[in-house]
């Protein structure tokens, strides 16, 4: 036999993923533009705060995940933990994607994580991390991509905080690529993916 089963292939066969994308949207129901932590492992907290931590996201999504993946949305606790207190949880079911709105009147999500099937909402901050033997809950990620309402995407890796905040502000107020100043327009990435991202948008 030339093709041996590797753990990777087994994981695919079982519908499991070792990494997925987490998104924090600027509107409810995963509408419009978003911030994305790409390719994050289970249990890593994607921090989706902006405006110096004053604003978060009314809706979040996990994308390119395995079936049954558990998406958790958090609010920040006083100790500054952006994944400190669970606000909502949802499973992808038979899909590789799910969208989760924050319960009405609760504010906004400050962070999000995903876990493999089988973990359920625990309210206590001490256990809200719900690590299993294989998943840590100490990892932190900040968005590496910001996507505008029109599907144009901008890379944030190596970009300074001030420029990142400018991009966040344009994305959050529904600006399109034509509205961007030249200083940030050059950060555009993955132009071929614009149409696919627009098709995935719900508004
Ligand atoms: C959107 O935000 C940017 C950056 O803060 C600002 O320059 C622009 O005027 C805003 N556009 C609208 C329509 O509010």
């Amino acid at each position: 036999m030339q093709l041996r089963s590797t753990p990777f292939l087994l994981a695919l066969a079982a519908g499991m993923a070792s990494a997925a994308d987490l998104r924090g949207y600027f509107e409810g129901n995963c509408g419009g533009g978003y911030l994305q932590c790409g390719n994050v492992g289970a249990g890593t907290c994607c921090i989706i705060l902006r405006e110096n931590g004053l604003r978060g996201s009314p809706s979040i999504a996990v994308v390119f995940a395995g079936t049954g993946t558990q998406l958790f949305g958090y609010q920040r606790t006083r100790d500054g933990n952006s994944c400190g207190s669970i606000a909502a949880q949802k499973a992808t079911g038979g899909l590789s994607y799910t969208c989760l709105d924050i319960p009405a009147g609760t504010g906004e999500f400050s962070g999000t994580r995903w876990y493999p099937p089988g973990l359920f909402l625990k309210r206590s901050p001490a256990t809200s991390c719900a690590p299993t033997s294989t998943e840590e809950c100490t990892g932190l990620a900040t968005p590496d991509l910001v996507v505008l309402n029109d599907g144009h995407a901008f890379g944030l890796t190596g970009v300074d905080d001030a420029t990142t905040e400018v991009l966040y502000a344009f994305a959050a107020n529904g600006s399109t690529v034509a509205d961007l100043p030249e200083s940030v327009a050059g950060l555009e990435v993955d132009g071929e993916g614009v149409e696919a991202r627009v098709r995935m948008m719900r508004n």
Side-chain angles (χ1 to χ4, degrees):
M1 273 257 304
Q2 266 193 323
L3 192 74
R4 295 184 63 94
S5 289
T6 65
F8 175 67
L9 288 173
L10 287 174
L12 281 182
M16 304 276 284
S18 59
D21 295 348
L22 290 165
R23 294 177 181 173
Y25 287 81
F26 302 113
E27 296 172 23
N29 194 29
C30 298
Y34 53 88
L35 309 179
Q36 173 170 296
C37 295
N39 216 29
V40 294
T44 295
C45 174
C46 172
I47 301 169
I48 47 177
L49 291 168
R50 59 181 203 279
E51 293 180 26
N52 289 320
L54 291 173
R55 296 293 308 272
S57 292
S59 66
I60 54 175
V62 62
V63 188
F64 305 124
T67 56
T69 292
Q70 304 288 326
L71 174 64
F72 285 81
Y74 298 82
Q75 290 187 301
R76 191 160 59 170
T77 41
R78 266 186 219 164
D79 59 3
N81 183 353
S82 297
C83 288
S85 166
I86 296 175
Q89 175 189 11
K90 192 175 177 188
T92 58
L95 303 175
S96 61
Y97 167 93
T98 199
C99 170
L100 177 58
D101 274 297
I102 194 149
T106 314
E108 295 175 323
F109 293 119
S110 56
T112 170
R113 286 191 175 107
W114 69 271
Y115 283 106
L119 285 173
F120 300 100
L121 193 146
K122 294 191 178 74
R123 289 253 169 229
S124 155
T127 55
S128 67
C129 219
T132 68
S133 54
T134 49
E135 280 83 33
E136 304 280 335
C137 56
T138 51
L140 291 178
T142 52
D144 54 11
L145 197 74
V146 55
V147 175
L148 304 183
N149 236 340
D150 62 1
H152 286 265
F154 298 81
L156 298 174
T157 305
V159 174
D160 64 62
D161 291 350
T163 307
T164 298
E165 283 291 336
V166 168
L167 264 173
Y168 284 3
F170 275 100
N173 72 12
S175 293
T176 61
V177 68
D179 300 322
L180 294 183
E182 257 178 56
S183 57
V184 291
L187 298 171
E188 181 163 3
V189 293
D190 191 25
E192 298 86 45
V194 171
E195 279 179 39
R197 283 188 291 274
V198 168
R199 275 198 302 273
M200 269 191 89
M201 289 178 178
R202 296 182 166 201
N203 57 348

